[in-house]
Amino acid sequence: MEYMGAPQAAAPLGNVLVVGSGGREHALAWRLSQSPRAGTVHVAPGNGGTENSVPIGAGDAEGLAAFARENECLTVVGPEAPLAAGIADRFAAAGLPLVGPTAAAARIESSKSWSKEFMQRHGIPTARHESFDDAGEAAAHARRLGGPVVVKADGLAAGKGVTVCGGPDEAEAEVRRMMGGGVGRVLLEERLEGAEASFIALCDGETAVPMAASQDHKRAGDGDTGPNTGGMGACSPAPHVDEGMARRIQDEVIEPALAGLRAEGAPFCGFLYAGVMIGAGGRLDVLEFNARMGDPECQAIMARADFDLLAYVEAAAAGTLGEMAPMRWDARHAACVVLASRGYPGSHATGEEIAGIGEDGGGSVVFHAGTRREGPRVLTAGGRVLGVTALGGTLREAVGAAYARAGRISWPSKYCRSDIGRAGIAAA
Ligand code: AMP
Ligand code: GLY
């Protein structure tokens, strides 16, 4: 899985600072460091798998800016929280190059109610919804709707603020649970049926370069049961996104969103992520926008990236993506199986030693997420621990290779879904 681009002898080497500590950031740093022109790719704060980890937290914009200036880095931001808190605004004020949207543009993710209204203003298809600041009114509305409904917390919740409810009783309980737990505003949304896909484009404010489509597995348990998580596995390409559907998502979702943000004075630079539902009869709806790469989608996408990623992120920061050729993708399938600690997304053990992680990859790559090193040992340090990623000629082969590698890795509370890619294999 090495990218073998032709070296561009004359250009100076570029240092990069990737902000974040998950599997997404490990995968970004891994692919960026394979650029022929990559200098040092730092990751702050990084994890037990990242090289060149820098002990500065993702929330410490001042510390990150000082590091980026001193080390002449282009900064690429992984997670949503620093973006929502304005790291891009801070870097822009200091004249430091960064790939990631301003706080105003990141509202497309950080406020679900703002995002839904934005979609309505710009004719982007999405499920009908209402937002409520009062639990009683929300519950009454759920009763009026009668049927299945989706309850969402307004604000960032790391993929865990959404519950798909069968009927009004469940919806009311969920509204009360969220609002009792400090959520100020909830959205009630029509429940959509269909196949989900993640569609991510790299943007420079004007131009959106689409990346390969992918599919996440959001629920904790096999057969899409259990609570929503940050994502338990991913594959790319996405089973239901052929060329025609990719074109439609680019034209009906990504382009209007980018143009809408620009028209509203918040041009979007960075990875714009549309989570879509593809329904019967070609119905296409946006479930959510994110202002960043997906995790674990990024791991599967990076495994297939057959181009110089550094050149593209530099162009995104410089506003010259319009001059770049389309990205090139490995024709094979990629699958990423997330190994988590039992209990995730709820409470779970940490500090357990991971065995079998160091052995030869054989065509797969293990991206670290919640890990840390203690001397020669690698310990668990979070809910999602590793993203075992493999390529294969078919989705079945990619999934088989990822599970084979995952099976050789162990720790006491290791847990993973056993059906990553199964729906996609059935649909093929
Ligand atoms: P979100 O964070 O809004 O993408 O929601 C997380 C997950 O909840 C999505 O990936 C879907 O699986 C599910 N979901 C969200 N909204 C809906 C909806 N309107 N209908 C059906 N499922 C939904
Ligand atoms: N895997 C879903 C997300 O990153 O939001």
Side-chain angles (χ1 to χ4, degrees):
M1 272 196 228
E2 298 300 298
Y3 166 71
M4 296 294 188
Q8 300 168 359
L13 295 183
N15 294 333
V16 185
L17 174 61
V18 176
V19 176
S21 60
R24 165 182 52 208
E25 288 77 23
H26 190 185
L28 283 171
W30 171 80
R31 191 51 93 193
L32 283 166
S33 67
Q34 289 168 24
S35 164
R37 283 195 314 93
T40 306
V41 179
H42 306 271
V43 188
N47 58 40
T50 52
E51 286 170 34
N52 309 309
S53 297
V54 181
I56 305 175
D60 180 2
E62 297 306 317
L64 293 167
F67 183 90
R69 180 181 294 109
E70 210 162 289
N71 295 278
E72 299 181 358
C73 293
L74 165 63
T75 299
V76 178
V77 182
E80 58 274 23
L83 294 166
I87 191 173
D89 306 79
R90 171 71 189 77
F91 272 58
L96 295 167
L98 177 141
V99 177
T102 60
R107 274 183 303 177
I108 200 158
E109 170 170 11
S110 61
S111 168
K112 284 199 189 284
S113 55
W114 188 88
S115 182
K116 294 289 283 191
E117 282 151 25
F118 171 83
M119 288 186 236
Q120 282 171 338
R121 285 198 291 283
H122 297 283
I124 298 169
T126 190
R128 283 189 302 272
H129 83 289
E130 298 260 0
S131 41
F132 298 90
D133 301 321
D134 179 89
E137 283 174 27
H141 186 68
R143 296 216 174 279
R144 273 195 301 278
L145 292 175
V149 61
V150 183
V151 182
K152 302 189 175 187
D154 191 26
L156 296 179
K160 296 156 216 159
V162 175
T163 307
V164 180
C165 300
D169 288 341
E170 205 184 331
E172 173 163 5
E174 192 50 30
V175 164
R176 295 203 185 278
R177 191 191 64 78
M178 281 186 188
M179 296 189 109
V183 171
R185 172 179 291 176
V186 295
L187 276 71
L188 296 189
E189 203 172 285
E190 155 199 23
R191 186 166 96 185
L192 300 168
E193 307 283 349
E196 284 186 50
S198 304
F199 194 90
I200 302 166
L202 180 60
C203 305
D204 66 359
E206 291 267 340
T207 300
V209 178
M211 306 190 82
S214 55
Q215 187 172 52
D216 189 13
H217 295 66
K218 291 242 162 76
R219 301 292 199 96
D222 280 0
D224 294 328
T225 56
N228 263 317
T229 69
M232 294 300 293
C235 43
S236 174
H240 294 86
V241 183
D242 58 11
E243 237 173 78
M245 182 52 75
R247 187 75 253 162
R248 278 190 61 199
I249 301 171
Q250 179 77 4
D251 293 347
E252 296 173 30
V253 174
I254 298 290
E255 296 289 356
L258 192 61
L261 286 164
R262 196 167 62 238
E264 296 190 13
F268 189 102
C269 168
F271 295 99
L272 179 60
Y273 167 136
V276 300
M277 184 78 93
I278 300 163
R283 181 174 171 178
L284 172 65
D285 284 284
V286 174
L287 289 169
E288 64 166 348
F289 279 110
N290 290 322
R292 51 168 176 84
M293 264 283 194
D295 185 340
E297 290 96 321
C298 183
Q299 291 85 312
I301 293 170
M302 287 298 109
R304 295 185 59 218
D306 191 15
F307 54 85
D308 180 351
L309 180 62
L310 179 58
Y312 281 83
V313 291
E314 285 175 341
T320 56
L321 276 178
E323 297 164 19
M324 302 293 285
M327 292 171 174
R328 233 176 47 181
W329 300 99
D330 192 315
R332 289 174 291 176
H333 289 252
C336 170
V337 174
V338 169
L339 305 186
S341 284
R342 192 171 295 285
Y344 171 78
S347 62
H348 51 79
T350 56
E352 296 181 344
E353 182 168 0
I354 304 171
I357 202 174
E359 68 178 76
D360 172 41
S364 60
V365 50
V366 178
F367 294 118
H368 289 229
T371 69
R372 65 185 172 85
R373 278 186 193 273
E374 210 176 77
R377 306 191 310 152
V378 182
L379 306 180
T380 64
R384 292 191 293 178
V385 177
L386 301 169
V388 182
T389 308
L391 290 169
T394 61
L395 178 55
R396 186 188 294 278
E397 283 169 17
V399 166
Y403 274 113
R405 178 78 188 273
R408 298 196 294 273
I409 298 173
S410 64
W411 67 91
S413 59
K414 171 190 159 191
Y415 167 76
C416 65
R417 277 181 62 163
S418 68
D419 65 346
I420 300 305
R422 188 172 296 163
I425 293 168

